[in-house]
Amino acid sequence: MKRILYHVIVSATILLCAQMSWGGQVKTYVSGFSVTGYQSKDELAAALRTLLMSRMSGNSVQVVDNPAGADVTVSGSYLVIGKMFSLDAVAKKASGEVVSRAFVQGESQDELIPAVGKLARKLSDDLQKMAVAAPEPTPAIAQQERAPETGMAGNEVVPAPSGDIIRPAVLQKASGSGWVSQRLEGELSGIAIGGTRNGERELFVIGQQSLRYYLQGDVLRLVQEVTFPPDVKVLRVDTADLDGDGTPEVYLTIISGDRLVSQVWVPTGTSLKKVADGLQYFMRAISVNGGEKRLYAQEMAMDGGFYGNVSEVVKSGDGYMLKNPLKLPRFGNLYNFNTFTDDHGKKYVVMLNPDDYLQVFSADGEELWKSSDKYGGSENYFKRPYPSSVSAADKFGSIVFLDQRITVTKDGEIIVPQNGGFWVLGNSRQYSKNSVYSFRWNGAALQEEWHTTESQNYLADYGYDASRHELVGLEVVKKEGLIGNGASVVVVKKTE
Amino acid sequence: MKVSKKILTIAAAGALTVATALPAFALENEFHGFVGLRAANSNYVTAGAFGQIPITGDSKTTYNWIEQRARLFYTAKANDNLKLVTGFELDSIWGKDSYTNGRNEGGALGADTVNLETKWVYLDFNVPSTKVNVKAGIQGLNDAYKSVFVGGGADAAGVLMSSPMGPTTLSLGWFRLDDRSATAAAFNNNGTAAGVTFSNGKKTRDLLLLDAKCNATKDMTFGASYYFLNNDNSQATSAQAGPLEPNTVGAPSDYTAHVLGLNAAAKLGPATVDGFFLYEFGTIDTYNGNALKSHLNSFAANLAGKMAVGPGTAKVSALYVNGGTNAFVDINNETSAAYSENNFGNALGDVLLLARNPFLTQTESAIIYDAGNNGMGVIGGSVGYEANVTSKLVAKANAAFAAVAKSQTGHDSKYQGTELNADLGYKMYDGLTVGVNGAYVVLGDFYKGLGTGGSDPANPYITQVYAKYVF
């Protein structure tokens, strides 16, 4: 009996020590998630990591913030195909030995958070089994060695980014560097940067039937507002100095029925003066290859689509003429492209395709790269006479959205905004958040340089002020409703 | 059971492996749709009615009904060169039928009806290394002539290939409109016994289309077409309730129609004009089940224009479609129901009663239901004006007239009537328009004495309140 009792006590002691050798827990570091097939990759990856960490913490698992002190490192992936998603994770020891693999599938985003919980349980169960089956030797020493690291966990220094790994926090542009205007009445749709007058920056903002002339100093000061009749729609506003007098003119692309009736205005500092009317062109100012800003134009076909080449507009006496036509890839039009050159002087076209994926083409039209995420995203559209292939009642084929600007800077940065939101279905678009991204061509793909912090508003339009290294965005903070006209703000963000 | 579980596990693992191994094959999902609601009052048009409005009574009774239509279009886009396009429709008339399955039902208390209709299922792909686009499957079918021959909501199974060549786009299509395998059980008038079955692929109606459209300049387009309609449907089906109207071709007939067309549109100064001319020739071998061997020799023409006037746009339109012994052959549904598959209203102008109007959902009756006007032809025209009262409020007013092209026995005149209509639409949100409209037709002497007891029938009217959401 004594012998039995002795064995029981010794066994219990050994078992207790074995459990204590892990401190009762497996120290687990969640390294992160890769995300495929979802727009806001960084945001979702960070959220999934946080969710998994909080759900794995428990009796058998201690989640640590530092990989150096971890017994096991967990990495995961999130893949969306159609509406199906799969969460996969693998837990490995420092030696590389796999101790657990698990996955959970789901059919909608509603199932994502519960799926993370299931994944955490599966991993935790395996880690618990591992802890029981293979206790680490010399528990006392191990605990002593780990103690200081555990003590540092609360205020540890995140290693500086190096190599290929860049933390999102480093990529983001500080939101504090910006400037936000007062609330502007109306759901406004476009903005263009003009010149400078007495240190104040000229800004031209359009609504569907209005053009506003602002001077931006410490506050945004309205100089003049021009309104247009209800049968026209102002589609775009751009600025360029075609007459070379140092004052950029304002080019408005305006549609009336099935015709373009574009206009040119000149700011005087105290007012706006119309200098041309009834121009049958879509117009857009572009700094092609990051060079000087020039005005380009394209004509409208009989069916309301884009017609012919995109050509440069030059002043010719009192009128305008087109020259230097550009050859664009398939789906290219005046509003969805820009061009850049690499270090060897090779030319490329960067373009948003009809599904809002960013594409890079060689000069001869070969597609070289296509983004995984969508960029751009615009609610600004015009209606063209609907094609005959669609019955009269439907008409959805008649909507043409004008894409967001792609800016190429002098040093080769490619800036493109990304609007996202909860409701983008067919032609019914209700974007609700945005971020602006900067890329650089690395010879094979566009590589992200930075992006701005996410704003919880739809970005209607933006301009890049190269002289000040500032993004000047027009955000809609309240959509137009049945009664209200909506509201917008001008947001300025430093890029350097 | 163990084996099943194992198979399931392997299948699940395999599916996951395939899914994770093909991240580049993520489909791009695209949704579009249309939802229409309308509440209507009329003295002739009734809920769910289709076809020609029978203007034969006094019709002092007012009918009112509310109906709704949803069209949902889903496109699964594998890449820029390949996509599957589907389209579905759900119709209901409020108060009509529940717990019974079928199209247009489920509007009565209880709802719960299987009433999903399939409109489109086709593959849309580009042939590698070429500029040729192919659409193969059940799809929208449209001519290049404002649907006077076929289109404006017609759906058919076939293949349509198109390719740009410089400023010109060439299209070549073939559609199988019918393939019948049995005569009607009750009605047959060509000597074949009723209810006789025969092989598929023999009693067919096929349509070949060849279209060319050239954007000559940004302000001018012109096009040319050749259509070939071959109808071997010499047997009647139950869709034909009785013999055909004089001078029309239909299912019991056996005929070929060659259609040559020219169309053009141009911006001329402040005006935009467009027009077309269609010429038909061919042979009608059997008519209404009887050998005929007559030659087809017919035509249709249209001219329309619009111009900015004051704060709005003025529009004018004229249409002629030949009738009588050389009646214009258009495409109607001959084997399933008496639906017109040529919604030609655009060629006549903005009308609500004279021709099928754009607000129609499942109730689709009109004074002139098909472009051929039941073999009588059409002489018609309209003038209209449309203006934005505000950026969200659009007002329209139109006046239109119509007459048959050839004198008909039993009618005092060719003149069918004059329509006056007006519409006020308010864009509540992007895509959502609510509005009200109404139309009144002053009947011509074509209907003189055709009312009850030889009286003149009452003039038709319709008023509608509607909401349309397009996304």
Side-chain angles (χ1 to χ4, degrees):
Chain A
M1 186 64 192
K2 269 187 181 178
R3 197 178 175 84
I4 292 171
L5 189 63
Y6 172 76
H7 277 292
V8 170
I9 292 169
V10 169
S11 300
T13 309
I14 291 170
L15 189 60
L16 189 64
C17 289
Q19 294 289 329
M20 287 174 62
S21 70
W22 289 86
Q25 293 177 314
V26 180
K27 288 193 167 64
T28 304
Y29 173 72
V30 180
S31 63
F33 274 79
S34 64
V35 175
T36 307
Y38 191 83
Q39 272 199 3
S40 306
K41 280 184 176 179
D42 293 344
E43 192 182 302
L44 184 64
L48 287 173
R49 180 172 179 257
T50 307
L51 287 170
L52 188 64
M53 286 167 71
S54 63
R55 279 153 183 75
M56 284 189 72
S57 293
N59 293 334
S60 59
V61 176
Q62 180 195 353
V63 177
V64 296
D65 291 333
N66 194 330
D71 302 313
V72 169
T73 299
V74 175
S75 60
S77 68
Y78 173 74
L79 171 74
V80 182
I81 298 178
K83 66 176 184 178
M84 289 283 294
F85 73 81
S86 176
L87 270 174
D88 296 65
V90 59
K92 291 180 182 176
K93 287 183 180 177
S95 61
E97 182 191 346
V98 175
V99 293
S100 176
R101 279 186 194 278
F103 72 89
V104 181
Q105 290 176 231
E107 290 191 351
S108 81
Q109 295 301 306
D110 296 342
E111 298 175 15
L112 182 55
I113 292 178
V116 177
K118 287 178 192 169
L119 188 71
R121 275 197 297 281
K122 287 182 180 179
L123 292 168
S124 299
D125 289 348
D126 287 349
L127 293 180
Q128 188 174 15
K129 287 175 195 164
M130 182 198 85
V132 174
E136 290 286 313
T138 57
I141 296 169
Q143 285 226 353
Q144 277 175 7
E145 283 176 348
R146 285 177 193 136
E149 293 169 1
T150 308
M152 286 174 64
N155 49 20
E156 67 185 348
V157 177
V158 177
S162 60
D164 293 333
I165 299 178
I166 301 173
R167 306 281 176 211
V170 176
L171 285 173
Q172 289 172 359
K173 287 285 164 185
S175 58
S177 69
W179 175 93
V180 181
S181 75
Q182 72 274 25
R183 197 176 169 94
L184 309 176
E185 190 185 342
E187 185 178 335
L188 303 171
S189 56
I191 190 168
I193 302 168
T196 305
R197 291 185 188 272
N198 303 321
E200 293 183 306
R201 177 162 50 194
E202 286 181 328
L203 294 178
F204 303 95
V205 178
I206 55 166
Q208 288 198 8
Q209 279 94 26
S210 67
L211 165 65
R212 297 183 196 176
Y213 175 20
Y214 288 104
L215 286 173
Q216 183 221 337
D218 293 335
V219 295
L220 198 61
R221 184 162 57 86
L222 180 64
V223 178
Q224 189 187 355
E225 179 170 7
V226 179
T227 57
F228 299 91
D231 61 319
V232 306
K233 183 173 183 181
V234 184
L235 296 177
R236 290 279 293 222
V237 58
D238 288 89
T239 52
D241 185 13
L242 262 60
D243 55 15
D245 66 352
T247 302
E249 306 87 45
V250 183
Y251 295 87
L252 294 182
T253 300
I254 302 175
I255 190 166
S256 174
D258 60 353
R259 287 164 187 257
L260 290 168
V261 286
S262 299
Q263 299 181 356
V264 184
W265 293 72
V266 174
T268 65
T270 56
S271 65
L272 285 164
K273 183 184 164 194
K274 186 163 70 176
V275 295
D277 197 357
L279 304 173
Q280 293 182 26
Y281 298 102
F282 295 103
M283 300 188 291
R284 178 193 167 195
I286 325 173
S287 298
V288 171
N289 291 325
E292 187 185 339
K293 189 156 74 172
R294 292 179 179 166
L295 189 73
Y296 285 80
Q298 195 170 14
E299 293 175 305
M300 179 188 258
M302 280 291 290
D303 67 358
F306 295 101
Y307 179 86
N309 290 317
V310 172
S311 301
E312 187 184 342
V313 182
V314 292
K315 195 99 166 79
S316 172
D318 289 337
Y320 301 89
M321 61 176 284
L322 300 179
K323 67 170 195 178
N324 302 330
L326 297 175
K327 190 173 168 60
L328 296 178
R330 180 183 170 204
F331 302 129
N333 66 57
L334 178 68
Y335 294 115
N336 67 357
F337 84 100
N338 206 325
T339 63
F340 64 91
T341 51
D342 65 12
D343 296 340
H344 307 291
K346 236 172 139 181
K347 285 190 176 176
Y348 301 88
V349 176
V350 56
M351 201 176 92
L352 283 164
N353 80 358
D355 295 319
D356 284 337
Y357 290 102
L358 206 52
Q359 289 176 293
V360 175
F361 295 87
S362 64
D364 57 6
E366 183 193 354
E367 182 186 315
L368 302 175
W369 179 82
K370 183 180 175 183
S371 67
S372 300
D373 291 334
K374 292 187 175 193
Y375 293 90
S378 171
E379 295 179 14
N380 193 13
Y381 69 89
F382 67 93
K383 280 187 178 177
R384 63 180 193 174
Y386 48 89
S388 61
S389 59
V390 180
S391 67
D394 299 330
K395 288 189 181 177
F396 55 71
S398 64
I399 301 286
V400 180
F401 286 97
L402 302 183
D403 285 295
Q404 293 280 353
R405 298 171 199 269
I406 299 175
T407 303
V408 175
T409 67
K410 271 182 188 168
D411 67 348
E413 268 187 285
I414 295 157
I415 298 172
V416 60
Q418 182 187 59
N419 274 307
F422 69 99
W423 186 245
V424 179
L425 189 63
N427 292 330
S428 183
R429 297 183 173 186
Q430 292 283 315
Y431 294 105
S432 58
K433 59 184 180 180
N434 82 83
S435 189
V436 180
Y437 283 76
S438 170
F439 296 94
R440 193 177 293 279
W441 181 247
N442 67 6
L446 286 182
Q447 197 164 6
E448 185 183 335
E449 294 267 300
W450 51 260
H451 64 258
T452 60
T453 49
E454 191 175 275
S455 168
Q456 297 296 309
N457 300 312
Y458 160 61
L459 181 75
D461 195 8
Y462 82 102
Y464 178 66
D465 192 333
S467 62
R468 302 188 193 191
H469 301 289
E470 287 179 346
L471 292 168
V472 181
L474 178 68
E475 294 190 353
V476 176
V477 294
K478 186 183 175 192
K479 304 273 182 176
E480 188 177 84
L482 193 57
I483 300 169
N485 291 328
S488 310
V489 291
V490 174
V491 177
V492 179
K493 291 178 180 176
K494 283 268 183 201
T495 62
E496 285 185 5
Chain B
M1 182 58 78
K2 276 184 181 174
V3 173
S4 299
K5 272 189 176 175
K6 197 169 181 178
I7 290 170
L8 273 176
T9 309
I10 292 168
L16 184 65
T17 306
V18 170
T20 50
L22 296 172
F25 196 65
L27 287 173
E28 189 71 30
N29 301 304
E30 190 177 318
F31 295 90
H32 287 285
F34 158 81
V35 180
L37 275 158
R38 70 165 175 158
N41 268 286
S42 177
N43 58 343
Y44 280 98
V45 185
T46 57
F50 58 86
Q52 200 168 28
I53 295 174
I55 300 176
T56 53
D58 294 332
S59 199
K60 291 187 169 57
T61 309
T62 295
Y63 308 95
N64 69 76
W65 75 99
I66 303 159
E67 62 189 24
Q68 63 179 62
R69 162 169 286 177
R71 280 181 174 166
L72 302 173
F73 298 90
Y74 166 68
T75 300
K77 191 185 262 188
N79 54 54
D80 290 339
N81 296 308
L82 171 63
K83 57 189 175 184
L84 166 69
V85 183
T86 60
F88 307 96
E89 187 172 280
L90 300 102
D91 292 338
S92 290
I93 296 168
W94 289 13
K96 285 279 188 189
D97 305 308
S98 62
Y99 307 129
T100 54
N101 298 335
R103 61 190 297 273
N104 300 352
E105 295 184 348
L109 176 66
D112 290 12
T113 290
V114 180
N115 61 353
L116 183 69
E117 301 165 35
T118 301
K119 289 180 67 64
W120 296 350
V121 182
Y122 66 89
L123 276 177
D124 184 327
F125 60 93
N126 296 323
V127 178
S129 305
T130 71
K131 292 181 176 178
V132 178
N133 173 263
V134 179
K135 293 179 175 66
I138 302 169
Q139 57 191 286
L141 168 61
N142 293 279
D143 63 28
Y145 300 89
K146 300 183 185 178
S147 307
V148 163
F149 182 59
V150 64
D155 303 310
V159 182
L160 181 67
M161 294 184 288
S162 59
S163 177
M165 296 180 75
T168 303
T169 300
L170 292 176
S171 301
L172 174 65
W174 173 80
F175 289 84
R176 170 141 290 179
L177 308 182
D178 296 308
D179 183 359
R180 292 170 48 211
S181 56
T183 58
F187 174 73
N188 184 36
N189 63 352
N190 72 340
T192 306
V196 171
T197 59
F198 32 84
S199 302
N200 287 324
K202 300 298 287 182
K203 304 290 185 186
T204 61
R205 183 166 52 144
D206 300 301
L207 175 65
L208 179 78
L209 298 103
L210 181 59
D211 271 314
K213 185 183 176 188
C214 177
N215 293 308
T217 70
K218 76 179 179 68
D219 291 332
M220 189 174 85
T221 63
F222 62 84
S225 309
Y226 168 68
Y227 302 148
F228 174 58
L229 177 64
N230 182 33
N231 191 348
D232 290 329
N233 268 330
S234 56
Q235 312 299 322
T237 73
S238 55
Q240 283 86 48
L244 292 169
E245 294 288 329
N247 304 318
T248 61
V249 290
S253 302
D254 186 341
Y255 62 89
T256 54
H258 304 268
V259 186
L260 298 173
L262 291 171
N263 62 76
K267 288 178 181 170
L268 303 171
T272 302
V273 295
D274 67 84
F276 65 78
F277 181 82
L278 278 170
Y279 172 68
E280 288 184 338
F281 66 96
T283 306
I284 300 172
D285 293 315
T286 61
Y287 165 67
N288 208 11
N290 301 312
L292 188 65
K293 295 288 180 189
S294 71
H295 289 289
L296 172 66
N297 180 23
S298 192
F299 72 98
N302 167 256
L303 191 61
K306 60 181 179 180
M307 187 168 78
V309 177
T313 304
K315 294 190 276 191
V316 60
S317 185
L319 173 69
Y320 182 89
V321 181
N322 203 33
T325 52
N326 266 315
F328 186 78
V329 172
D330 53 24
I331 293 180
N332 294 301
N333 196 313
E334 297 180 350
T335 54
S336 307
Y339 292 126
S340 159
E341 302 288 358
N342 52 93
N343 195 348
F344 71 102
N346 271 345
L348 190 58
D350 283 343
V351 291
L352 298 178
L353 280 171
L354 284 179
R356 292 161 69 187
N357 76 67
F359 298 96
L360 291 181
T361 52
Q362 59 267 50
T363 300
E364 294 190 339
S365 52
I367 292 173
I368 303 172
Y369 191 61
D370 71 308
N373 199 5
N374 217 12
M376 300 180 291
V378 179
I379 301 170
S382 69
V383 292
Y385 189 72
E386 176 178 334
N388 285 67
V389 180
T390 70
S391 61
K392 291 189 166 189
L393 188 64
V394 180
K396 300 176 188 174
N398 298 279
F401 80 95
V404 300
K406 300 291 181 189
S407 298
Q408 304 292 310
T409 53
H411 298 272
D412 281 8
S413 159
K414 293 197 286 184
Y415 200 77
Q416 289 187 279
T418 304
E419 175 178 326
L420 302 170
N421 69 56
D423 179 277
L424 205 56
Y426 179 74
K427 194 177 89 174
M428 192 177 283
Y429 299 107
D430 257 355
L432 176 64
T433 303
V434 295
V436 58
N437 62 36
Y440 185 83
V441 175
V442 180
L443 290 175
D445 285 349
F446 181 83
Y447 298 102
K448 190 173 179 63
L450 296 182
T452 309
S455 64
D456 294 341
N459 290 331
Y461 66 83
I462 189 168
T463 58
Q464 302 179 109
V465 179
Y466 63 87
K468 290 192 298 180
Y469 176 48
V470 183
F471 62 90

